[in-house]
RNA sequence: GGUCCAGUAGCUCAGUUGGAUAGAGCAACAGCCUUCUAAGCUGUCGGUCGCAGGUUCGAAUCCUGCCUGGAUCACCA
């Protein structure tokens, strides 16, 4: 990279001019602000004590040194202590020429060959996917793609929470109020039907509790004594004891849910390499805990329950096994982490899970470390914020959730209405038109979600539907379509892009665009390191915006100088490639026409 | 109460390891289609970067205190 080169020579300059030894990597090079002339800026303020000179003089000297010794430096200017360095046009033109035809520009090889295992989605089988899950799924998918692009092997896993009291509630409700009904008979998605059962259970239970409270019980008592809850608990016991009838219903209802989830995943473009089921793994952690107990790392209380003492780490004591010997959530996670380690020998274990579980993952890592699992340090929790509605957090029980399928369908319809109004469907078959609406609505949704910093909470207002203009996915898709159309037109006129080095003068915007293309690889690397698709999203938006401004300002094909036209076609082509590549990392496809 | 995270334009969000005059989009207003796609472009309007101190050549960014919002501290998952 050119920045490294500048760092190296500035370090040399400091040594030559002021006998000051500064490590190359400590030299700070920043992008020059747009309002000043130059590409990169070096700030001399930190070095003035060594130089013993005024900032301007010091910057002038270093600038002079660079101009003499680095051939890609064309000129420089000094404003106060800021040394603005202008990189020669031929450097940027050379970069462009080198990469116009490279496939997968920016792809890297990294890592030690061991896979990165990333868990995401991990739904419960008692309700359909909502907007919160959408954020999880898109994040997980995108981070996986970014890691692949950055050169890692990646295994995407999903741990389905398919057992427990919640699914028993749905099953019980089905038996009581939905008997005989199926997704086919009701003509709805299976996950929706099961979700309806769950909601019904909750409603009926509330009624019971209310009448118990009216009869003079406290709310806590009422909730514990509700006959419905007791029945559900009994059902869970029956499930654990392998009751054939309960297992049959459980299998059937989960099957409905999986069919429904599959459709949602497919529409979102999400898939997994391996699916774990909690019903297979929920007993796994017990052996690890019992082993820790034997080694004296864990301890047993008088009632027989098993605990980890985390007070050394500033945390509390944590329960690992109940007095009756059954396991809790964290026990299972201990087990699944071990399983994943045994299955894949990963270099990293990533978990895409909401930030309400930050504490849980701290505890998980610490306990595994206490138990002597060295690989516990490779566990990383990709923590993301909630999607909030204007009135606050989404609550399934209060019906304030934004259903994933409904949202996607609604956006599809908006995209269709808009496209028709703009006359974008001319000459398209129905199937092509459908695909276009789908691409655009998915692009809008995905970009909307992925462009915000994962760790922050974000707001979704259902009243104001997600935009298709401005800082959006469709804007970037549109830019790509524009370029494709331009390239096609050029080909019709027999004008091709070129790998030849362009020697003519460059437009200011052209330099800006090439500079953006130049840093693409670095952006992906940063995104891979911080697990943040938002970096990619905001980068590709900036690129598209810059290109659009250029496009509007300059008529590329009408230009008289044919070399300049070729150069601009190269620029357009590489821009389109990078847009396509970056959008792919976000799980967004780009149409050639829209 | 303890711990963690967040607070930037009316709204939704960017803001690189501390750097120059804090940026986009939406909304509002005014322009631009006989020219490669107007889902676009140009311009106007919009800021006490939660508040108060501190660190330094320089702070939205780092430190301390406070305010506000959220999460969490379950024998729920």
């Amino acid at each position: 990279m050119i920045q490294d080169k500048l760092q190296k020579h500035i370090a040399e300059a400091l040594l030559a001019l002021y006998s000051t030894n500064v490590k190359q990597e400590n030299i700070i090079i920043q992008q020059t602000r747009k309002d000043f002339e130059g590409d990169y800026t070096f700030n001399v303020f930190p070095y003035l004590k060594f130089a013993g000179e005024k900032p301007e003089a010091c910057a002038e000297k270093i600038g002079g040194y660079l101009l003499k010794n680095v051939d890609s430096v064309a000129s420089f200017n000094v404003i106060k202590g800021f040394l603005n360095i202008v990189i020669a046009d031929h450097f940027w033109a050379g970069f462009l020429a080198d990469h116009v035809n490279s496939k997968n520009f920016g792809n890297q090889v990294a890592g030690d060959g061991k896979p990165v295992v990333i868990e995401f989605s991990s739904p419960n089988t008692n309700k359909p996917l909502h907007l919160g899950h959408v954020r999880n799924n898109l994040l997980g998918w995108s981070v996986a793609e970014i890691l692949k692009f950055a050169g890692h092997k990646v295994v995407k896993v999903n741990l389905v929470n398919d057992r427990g009291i919640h699914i028993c509630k749905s099953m019980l409700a089905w038996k009581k109020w939905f008997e005989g009904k199926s997704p086919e008979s009701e003509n709805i998605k299976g996950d929706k039907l099961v979700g309806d059962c769950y909601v019904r259970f909750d409603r009926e239970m509330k009624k019971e509790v209310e009448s118990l409270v009216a009869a003079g019980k406290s709310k806590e008592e009422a909730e514990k004594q509700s006959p419905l809850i007791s029945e559900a608990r009994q059902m869970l016991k029956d499930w654990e004891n392998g009751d054939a009838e309960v297992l049959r219903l459980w299998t059937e209802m989960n099957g409905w849910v999986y069919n429904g989830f599959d459709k949602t995943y497919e529409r979102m473009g999400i898939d997994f390499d391996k699916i774990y089921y909690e019903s297979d793994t929920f007993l796994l952690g017990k052996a690890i805990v019992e082993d820790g107990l034997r080694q004296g790392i864990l301890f047993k209380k008088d009632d027989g329950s098993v605990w980890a003492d985390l007070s050394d780490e500033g945390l509390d004591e944590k329960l690992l096994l109940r007095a009756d010997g059954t396991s809790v959530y964290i026990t299972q996670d201990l087990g699944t982490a071990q399983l994943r380690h045994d299955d894949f020998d990963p270099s990293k274990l990533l978990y895409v899970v909401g930030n309400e579980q930050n504490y849980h993952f701290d505890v998980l890592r610490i306990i595994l470390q206490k138990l002597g699992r060295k690989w516990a340090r490779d566990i990383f929790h990709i923590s993301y914020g909630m999607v909030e509605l204007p009135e606050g957090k989404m609550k399934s029980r209060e019906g304030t959730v934004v259903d994933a399928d409904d949202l996607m369908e609604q956006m599809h319809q908006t995209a269709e209405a808009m496209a028709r109004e703009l006359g974008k469907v001319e000459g398209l078959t129905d199937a092509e038109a459908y695909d276009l609406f789908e691409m655009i609505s998915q692009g809008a949704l995905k970009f909307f979600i992925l462009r915000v910093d994962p760790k922050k909470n974000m707001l979704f207002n259902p009243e104001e539907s997600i935009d298709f203009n401005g800082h959006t996915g469709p804007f970037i898709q549109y830019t790509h379509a524009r370029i494709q159309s331009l390239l096609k037109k050029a080909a019709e006129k027999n004008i091709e892009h070129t790998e030849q080095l362009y020697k003519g003068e460059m437009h200011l915007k052209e330099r800006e665009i090439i500079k953006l293309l130049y840093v693409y690889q670095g952006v992906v690397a940063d995104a891979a390191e911080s697990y943040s698709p938002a970096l990619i999203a905001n980068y590709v938006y900036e690129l598209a915006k810059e290109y659009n401004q250029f496009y509007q300002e300059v008529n590329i094909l009408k230009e008289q100088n044919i070399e300049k036209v070729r150069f601009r076609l190269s620029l357009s082509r590489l821009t389109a490639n990078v847009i396509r590549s970056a959008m792919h990392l976000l799980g967004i496809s780009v149409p050639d026409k829209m």
Side-chain angles (χ1 to χ4, degrees):
Chain A
M1 294 296 272
I2 185 75
Q3 290 99 314
D4 303 336
K5 211 169 166 184
L6 290 174
Q7 282 179 319
K8 181 169 164 268
H9 285 92
I10 289 171
E12 282 174 19
L14 288 170
L15 188 60
L17 296 169
Y18 306 112
S19 316
T20 304
N21 224 327
V22 182
K23 276 194 188 156
Q24 187 181 324
E25 57 268 29
N26 293 335
I27 302 278
I28 296 163
I29 300 286
Q30 52 201 357
Q31 299 260 338
T32 304
R33 284 185 68 99
K34 281 216 170 129
D35 344 287
F36 299 95
E37 191 200 351
D39 298 305
Y40 296 101
T41 295
F42 173 66
N43 188 332
V44 299
F45 274 117
Y47 304 96
L48 291 180
K49 3 181 190 248
F50 306 112
E53 281 187 300
K54 292 203 160 142
E56 290 83 355
C58 177
E60 284 287 346
K61 280 192 188 165
I62 295 171
Y65 183 95
L66 290 178
L67 193 57
K68 205 190 300 172
N69 293 288
V70 189
D71 62 354
S72 2
V73 172
S75 64
F76 67 91
N77 63 81
V78 173
I79 297 167
K80 292 189 275 181
F82 296 96
L83 170 62
N84 298 322
I85 302 160
V86 180
I87 302 299
D89 278 358
H90 69 76
F91 176 85
W92 300 118
F95 159 76
L96 185 59
D98 286 348
H99 292 284
V100 216
N101 284 326
S102 67
K103 286 183 182 150
N104 270 325
F105 164 66
N107 228 329
Q108 289 161 276
V109 181
D112 49 12
K114 289 182 175 184
V116 174
V117 174
I118 177 166
E119 176 192 307
F120 62 100
S121 202
S122 305
N124 288 349
T125 57
N126 65 333
K127 52 180 183 259
L129 271 26
H130 61 64
L131 193 50
H133 299 113
V134 172
R135 191 176 193 188
N136 180 307
N137 290 335
L138 296 180
L139 251 180
W141 171 266
S142 181
V143 168
E145 288 301 314
I146 291 167
L147 288 171
K148 279 191 219 166
F149 194 78
H152 300 275
K153 276 190 213 162
V154 176
V155 181
K156 292 170 287 182
V157 305
N158 188 357
L159 173 58
V160 180
N161 184 351
D162 63 343
R163 52 139 244 131
I165 192 74
H166 57 274
I167 184 70
C168 290
K169 288 178 181 175
S170 290
M171 285 158 66
L172 195 61
W174 184 84
K175 281 179 77 167
K176 285 186 180 297
W177 304 294
F178 293 77
E179 181 99 55
K181 293 186 178 173
S182 70
E184 292 75 27
S185 74
E186 305 306 296
N187 196 26
I188 56 171
K189 279 177 81 221
D191 52 333
K192 297 276 190 297
L193 178 59
V194 174
D196 290 345
C197 294
Y198 187 74
V199 169
R200 180 66 179 269
F201 179 93
D202 199 66
R203 220 170 56 209
E204 298 289 344
M205 197 189 86
K206 267 197 184 125
K207 277 194 227 162
E208 272 190 3
V209 169
E210 275 166 25
S211 58
L212 284 171
V213 169
K217 308 243 183 206
S218 78
K219 203 173 176 207
E220 289 74 31
E221 277 178 322
E223 274 168 6
K224 275 192 181 154
Q225 292 174 4
S226 147
L228 275 173
I229 264 290
S230 308
E231 264 189 271
R233 286 222 184 83
Q234 183 55 45
M235 199 177 222
L236 183 59
K237 281 195 185 125
D238 292 343
W239 182 91
E240 284 176 2
N241 293 329
D243 180 287
E245 172 53 24
V246 171
L247 281 178
R248 194 204 56 76
L249 182 59
W250 174 75
T251 307
E252 182 172 31
M253 288 183 71
N254 272 343
W256 295 346
V257 172
Y258 298 144
N259 283 337
F261 283 175
D262 285 348
K263 284 185 195 140
T264 310
Y265 284 142
E266 197 193 338
R267 190 164 191 183
M268 277 195 284
I270 303 291
D271 65 8
F272 301 93
D273 300 309
K274 176 150 189 164
I275 297 181
Y276 291 99
Y277 295 93
E278 216 180 274
S279 52
D280 295 329
T281 61
F282 78 107
L283 295 174
L284 282 180
K286 278 175 90 163
I288 298 176
V289 172
E290 277 155 10
D291 194 45
L293 195 57
R294 270 195 296 278
Q295 292 180 46
I297 300 165
L298 307 174
F299 70 96
K300 198 175 247 186
K301 287 196 176 173
D302 291 343
D303 65 357
S305 57
V306 179
W307 297 73
D309 180 4
L310 306 179
S311 47
D312 299 350
E313 326 285 338
L315 305 174
D316 300 336
E317 294 178 348
K318 188 82 190 171
L319 176 87
L320 296 178
L321 287 177
R322 297 186 184 102
D324 64 5
T326 55
S327 53
V328 293
Y329 177 48
I330 193 141
T331 323
Q332 298 173 36
D333 258 7
L334 254 28
T336 54
Q338 180 73 52
L339 178 64
R340 232 164 273 176
H341 175 261
D342 296 344
D343 280 353
F344 298 108
D345 185 27
S347 63
K348 278 217 160 62
L349 277 164
L350 306 180
Y351 292 82
V352 181
V353 178
N355 61 11
E356 74 257 15
Q357 293 194 32
N358 287 354
Y359 179 72
H360 170 78
F361 279 96
D362 285 346
V363 170
L364 181 69
R365 196 182 306 105
I366 289 169
I367 292 180
L368 282 168
Q369 264 161 355
K370 273 188 182 294
L371 293 169
R373 306 302 198 273
K374 270 178 281 174
W375 46 266
R377 68 180 135 80
D378 303 323
I379 290 177
F380 189 87
H381 175 203
I382 301 178
S383 163
Y384 65 91
M386 304 287 103
V387 181
E388 288 169 348
L389 302 174
E391 56 274 15
K393 217 182 146 178
M394 286 193 276
K395 298 214 171 78
S396 341
R397 289 181 187 157
E398 290 168 24
T400 57
V401 288
V402 176
D403 180 83
D405 297 313
D406 293 351
L407 179 61
M408 289 193 286
E409 185 51 32
Q410 185 196 324
M411 291 199 60
H412 179 101
Q413 284 170 15
T414 313
E416 170 162 9
M418 237 165 144
R420 291 196 186 283
E421 201 180 307
L422 291 168
K424 300 283 187 179
V425 287
E426 274 172 48
L428 295 183
T429 66
D430 285 355
E432 285 168 341
Y434 181 91
D435 287 348
L436 182 66
F437 308 148
E438 194 61 13
M439 259 192 243
I440 290 170
S441 51
Q442 288 286 327
L445 175 60
K446 289 177 177 178
F447 191 85
F448 175 81
I449 288 182
L450 290 176
R451 86 181 170 98
V452 346
D453 184 344
K455 64 174 189 292
K456 290 189 180 172
N457 288 356
M458 65 181 292
L459 193 122
F460 174 78
N461 188 347
E463 302 299 313
E464 306 163 10
S465 51
I466 292 174
D467 242 306
F468 289 81
N469 300 322
H471 193 163
T472 66
F475 169 80
I476 299 160
Q477 292 172 316
Y478 172 74
T479 307
H480 178 266
R482 244 186 178 178
I483 297 175
Q484 292 311 314
S485 165
L486 171 72
L487 295 177
K488 201 174 142 207
K489 209 79 163 197
E492 282 166 12
K493 294 188 178 183
N494 280 314
I495 314 171
E496 285 290 343
H497 70 279
T498 174
E499 291 179 61
Q500 295 299 306
L501 188 67
Y502 175 65
K503 299 213 174 81
E505 208 175 309
M506 258 188 228
H507 190 279
L508 204 66
K509 280 277 177 223
E510 287 170 333
R511 284 175 64 93
E512 289 302 320
I513 294 167
I514 297 176
K515 274 157 73 176
L516 278 171
L517 296 170
Y518 182 76
V519 299
Y520 178 54
Q521 187 170 323
V523 173
V524 178
D526 288 350
E529 206 171 315
S530 56
Y531 308 115
S532 173
L535 260 44
I536 307 274
N538 289 307
Y539 163 83
V540 70
Y541 170 73
E542 201 184 329
L543 176 63
K545 188 176 161 68
E546 207 74 49
Y547 184 87
N548 254 301
Q549 290 172 348
F550 173 64
Y551 182 97
Q552 204 88 15
E553 216 173 290
V554 165
N555 193 319
I556 295 171
L557 295 177
K558 279 263 174 78
E559 166 64 44
Q560 296 298 309
N561 181 340
I562 188 69
E563 289 311 315
K564 198 175 261 190
V565 175
R566 290 214 160 99
F567 170 70
R568 287 176 171 172
L569 289 174
S570 301
L571 179 76
S572 301
R573 191 177 144 101
L574 189 56
T575 304
N577 288 350
V578 168
I579 287 178
R580 197 183 309 114
S581 165
M583 291 293 265
H584 172 80
L585 299 182
L586 303 174
I588 301 174
S589 22
V590 284
D592 287 341
K593 251 175 89 176
M594 72 179 270

